[in-house]
PDB file of all heavy atoms in Angstrom:
ATOM      1  N   PHE X 270     135.266 126.983 -98.839  1.00 92.00           N
ATOM      2  CA  PHE X 270     134.668 125.977 -99.713  1.00 92.00           C
ATOM      3  C   PHE X 270     135.541 124.706 -99.724  1.00 92.00           C
ATOM      4  O   PHE X 270     135.067 123.597 -99.616  1.00 92.00           O
ATOM      5  CB  PHE X 270     134.659 126.661-101.074  1.00 92.00           C
ATOM      6  CG  PHE X 270     133.949 126.027-102.213  1.00 92.00           C
ATOM      7  CD1 PHE X 270     132.585 126.177-102.353  1.00 92.00           C
ATOM      8  CD2 PHE X 270     134.658 125.339-103.206  1.00 92.00           C
ATOM      9  CE1 PHE X 270     131.939 125.665-103.454  1.00 92.00           C
ATOM     10  CE2 PHE X 270     134.018 124.822-104.301  1.00 92.00           C
ATOM     11  CZ  PHE X 270     132.646 124.984-104.425  1.00 92.00           C
ATOM     12  N   TYR X 271     136.881 124.886 -99.813  1.00 97.00           N
ATOM     13  CA  TYR X 271     137.802 123.739 -99.875  1.00 97.00           C
ATOM     14  C   TYR X 271     138.325 123.320 -98.503  1.00 97.00           C
ATOM     15  O   TYR X 271     138.938 122.257 -98.393  1.00 97.00           O
ATOM     16  CB  TYR X 271     139.017 124.084-100.752  1.00 97.00           C
ATOM     17  CG  TYR X 271     138.752 124.046-102.240  1.00 97.00           C
ATOM     18  CD1 TYR X 271     138.485 125.204-102.954  1.00 97.00           C
ATOM     19  CD2 TYR X 271     138.798 122.836-102.943  1.00 97.00           C
ATOM     20  CE1 TYR X 271     138.262 125.176-104.323  1.00 97.00           C
ATOM     21  CE2 TYR X 271     138.580 122.799-104.310  1.00 97.00           C
ATOM     22  CZ  TYR X 271     138.306 123.972-104.995  1.00 97.00           C
ATOM     23  OH  TYR X 271     138.082 123.935-106.351  1.00 97.00           O
ATOM     24  N   GLY X 272     138.141 124.190 -97.496  1.00 98.00           N
ATOM     25  CA  GLY X 272     138.667 123.869 -96.163  1.00 98.00           C
ATOM     26  C   GLY X 272     140.188 123.886 -96.116  1.00 98.00           C
ATOM     27  O   GLY X 272     140.805 123.046 -95.459  1.00 98.00           O
ATOM     28  N   ILE X 273     140.806 124.840 -96.820  1.00 98.00           N
ATOM     29  CA  ILE X 273     142.282 124.932 -96.854  1.00 98.00           C
ATOM     30  C   ILE X 273     142.684 126.368 -96.534  1.00 98.00           C
ATOM     31  O   ILE X 273     142.100 127.313 -97.072  1.00 98.00           O
ATOM     32  CB  ILE X 273     142.814 124.543 -98.256  1.00 98.00           C
ATOM     33  CG1 ILE X 273     142.446 123.087 -98.568  1.00 98.00           C
ATOM     34  CG2 ILE X 273     144.338 124.749 -98.343  1.00 98.00           C
ATOM     35  CD1 ILE X 273     142.779 122.649 -99.977  1.00 98.00           C
ATOM     36  N   LYS X 274     143.705 126.515 -95.678  1.00 98.00           N
ATOM     37  CA  LYS X 274     144.133 127.868 -95.280  1.00 98.00           C
ATOM     38  C   LYS X 274     145.458 128.237 -95.941  1.00 98.00           C
ATOM     39  O   LYS X 274     146.488 127.626 -95.632  1.00 98.00           O
ATOM     40  CB  LYS X 274     144.361 127.908 -93.769  1.00 98.00           C
ATOM     41  CG  LYS X 274     143.148 128.219 -92.942  1.00 98.00           C
ATOM     42  CD  LYS X 274     143.626 128.372 -91.497  1.00 98.00           C
ATOM     43  CE  LYS X 274     142.543 128.864 -90.586  1.00 98.00           C
ATOM     44  NZ  LYS X 274     143.074 129.113 -89.245  1.00 98.00           N
ATOM     45  N   PRO X 275     145.459 129.253 -96.803  1.00 98.00           N
ATOM     46  CA  PRO X 275     146.735 129.736 -97.354  1.00 98.00           C
ATOM     47  C   PRO X 275     147.436 130.661 -96.340  1.00 98.00           C
ATOM     48  O   PRO X 275     146.856 130.991 -95.303  1.00 98.00           O
ATOM     49  CB  PRO X 275     146.296 130.529 -98.576  1.00 98.00           C
ATOM     50  CG  PRO X 275     144.954 131.066 -98.177  1.00 98.00           C
ATOM     51  CD  PRO X 275     144.315 130.039 -97.275  1.00 98.00           C
ATOM     52  N   ASP X 276     148.646 131.091 -96.684  1.00 98.00           N
ATOM     53  CA  ASP X 276     149.359 132.045 -95.814  1.00 98.00           C
ATOM     54  C   ASP X 276     148.983 133.474 -96.146  1.00 98.00           C
ATOM     55  O   ASP X 276     148.981 134.342 -95.272  1.00 98.00           O
ATOM     56  CB  ASP X 276     150.873 131.848 -95.972  1.00 98.00           C
ATOM     57  CG  ASP X 276     151.261 130.425 -95.616  1.00 98.00           C
ATOM     58  OD1 ASP X 276     151.047 130.031 -94.462  1.00 98.00           O
ATOM     59  OD2 ASP X 276     151.732 129.692 -96.507  1.00 98.00           O
ATOM     60  N   LEU X 277     148.713 133.725 -97.435  1.00 98.00           N
ATOM     61  CA  LEU X 277     148.303 135.061 -97.890  1.00 98.00           C
ATOM     62  C   LEU X 277     147.139 134.896 -98.865  1.00 98.00           C
ATOM     63  O   LEU X 277     147.067 133.891 -99.589  1.00 98.00           O
ATOM     64  CB  LEU X 277     149.450 135.758 -98.621  1.00 98.00           C
ATOM     65  CG  LEU X 277     150.638 136.241 -97.784  1.00 98.00           C
ATOM     66  CD1 LEU X 277     151.817 136.588 -98.692  1.00 98.00           C
ATOM     67  CD2 LEU X 277     150.258 137.456 -96.927  1.00 98.00           C
ATOM     68  N   THR X 278     146.271 135.906 -98.883  1.00 98.00           N
ATOM     69  CA  THR X 278     145.127 135.874 -99.808  1.00 98.00           C
ATOM     70  C   THR X 278     145.024 137.220-100.509  1.00 98.00           C
ATOM     71  O   THR X 278     145.221 138.267 -99.878  1.00 98.00           O
ATOM     72  CB  THR X 278     143.810 135.590 -99.040  1.00 98.00           C
ATOM     73  OG1 THR X 278     143.930 134.350 -98.353  1.00 98.00           O
ATOM     74  CG2 THR X 278     142.617 135.512 -99.995  1.00 98.00           C
ATOM     75  N   CYS X 279     144.705 137.161-101.816  1.00 99.00           N
ATOM     76  CA  CYS X 279     144.456 138.386-102.587  1.00 99.00           C
ATOM     77  C   CYS X 279     142.955 138.496-102.837  1.00 99.00           C
ATOM     78  O   CYS X 279     142.309 137.506-103.176  1.00 99.00           O
ATOM     79  CB  CYS X 279     145.154 138.316-103.945  1.00 99.00           C
ATOM     80  SG  CYS X 279     146.897 137.958-103.798  1.00 99.00           S
ATOM     81  N   PHE X 280     142.445 139.708-102.686  1.00 98.00           N
ATOM     82  CA  PHE X 280     141.021 139.969-102.911  1.00 98.00           C
ATOM     83  C   PHE X 280     140.859 141.073-103.953  1.00 98.00           C
ATOM     84  O   PHE X 280     141.786 141.838-104.211  1.00 98.00           O
ATOM     85  CB  PHE X 280     140.347 140.459-101.624  1.00 98.00           C
ATOM     86  CG  PHE X 280     140.436 139.524-100.462  1.00 98.00           C
ATOM     87  CD1 PHE X 280     141.472 139.651 -99.537  1.00 98.00           C
ATOM     88  CD2 PHE X 280     139.493 138.543-100.268  1.00 98.00           C
ATOM     89  CE1 PHE X 280     141.560 138.805 -98.451  1.00 98.00           C
ATOM     90  CE2 PHE X 280     139.579 137.687 -99.175  1.00 98.00           C
ATOM     91  CZ  PHE X 280     140.614 137.817 -98.266  1.00 98.00           C
ATOM     92  N   GLY X 281     139.651 141.169-104.481  1.00 98.00           N
ATOM     93  CA  GLY X 281     139.293 142.255-105.399  1.00 98.00           C
ATOM     94  C   GLY X 281     137.796 142.179-105.616  1.00 98.00           C
ATOM     95  O   GLY X 281     137.057 141.624-104.802  1.00 98.00           O
ATOM     96  N   LYS X 282     137.341 142.734-106.699  1.00 98.00           N
ATOM     97  CA  LYS X 282     135.972 142.579-107.207  1.00 98.00           C
ATOM     98  C   LYS X 282     134.885 142.685-106.117  1.00 98.00           C
ATOM     99  O   LYS X 282     134.562 143.773-105.688  1.00 98.00           O
ATOM    100  CB  LYS X 282     135.876 141.264-107.973  1.00 98.00           C
ATOM    101  CG  LYS X 282     136.989 141.210-109.073  1.00 98.00           C
ATOM    102  CD  LYS X 282     136.649 140.372-110.234  1.00 98.00           C
ATOM    103  CE  LYS X 282     137.816 140.074-111.145  1.00 98.00           C
ATOM    104  NZ  LYS X 282     137.919 140.949-112.293  1.00 98.00           N
ATOM    105  N   VAL X 283     134.326 141.532-105.657  1.00 98.00           N
ATOM    106  CA  VAL X 283     133.157 141.529-104.775  1.00 98.00           C
ATOM    107  C   VAL X 283     133.329 142.418-103.544  1.00 98.00           C
ATOM    108  O   VAL X 283     132.388 143.108-103.128  1.00 98.00           O
ATOM    109  CB  VAL X 283     132.868 140.066-104.317  1.00 98.00           C
ATOM    110  CG1 VAL X 283     131.968 140.024-103.107  1.00 98.00           C
ATOM    111  CG2 VAL X 283     132.262 139.268-105.462  1.00 98.00           C
ATOM    112  N   ILE X 284     134.518 142.448-102.964  1.00 98.00           N
ATOM    113  CA  ILE X 284     134.673 143.162-101.675  1.00 98.00           C
ATOM    114  C   ILE X 284     134.521 144.676-101.820  1.00 98.00           C
ATOM    115  O   ILE X 284     134.438 145.372-100.809  1.00 98.00           O
ATOM    116  CB  ILE X 284     136.016 142.841-100.975  1.00 98.00           C
ATOM    117  CG1 ILE X 284     137.210 143.373-101.784  1.00 98.00           C
ATOM    118  CG2 ILE X 284     136.166 141.358-100.681  1.00 98.00           C
ATOM    119  CD1 ILE X 284     138.461 143.574-100.931  1.00 98.00           C
ATOM    120  N   GLY X 285     134.481 145.178-103.065  1.00 98.00           N
ATOM    121  CA  GLY X 285     134.308 146.626-103.261  1.00 98.00           C
ATOM    122  C   GLY X 285     132.916 146.998-103.732  1.00 98.00           C
ATOM    123  O   GLY X 285     132.677 148.174-104.050  1.00 98.00           O
ATOM    124  N   GLY X 286     132.015 146.027-103.797  1.00 98.00           N
ATOM    125  CA  GLY X 286     130.621 146.330-104.131  1.00 98.00           C
ATOM    126  C   GLY X 286     130.431 147.042-105.457  1.00 98.00           C
ATOM    127  O   GLY X 286     129.446 147.743-105.654  1.00 98.00           O
TER     128      GLY X 286
END
Side-chain angles (χ1 to χ4, degrees):
F270 188 82
Y271 283 98
I273 298 173
K274 273 187 172 185
D276 301 298
L277 289 166
T278 302
C279 306
F280 301 93
K282 306 207 193 263
V283 163
I284 66 158

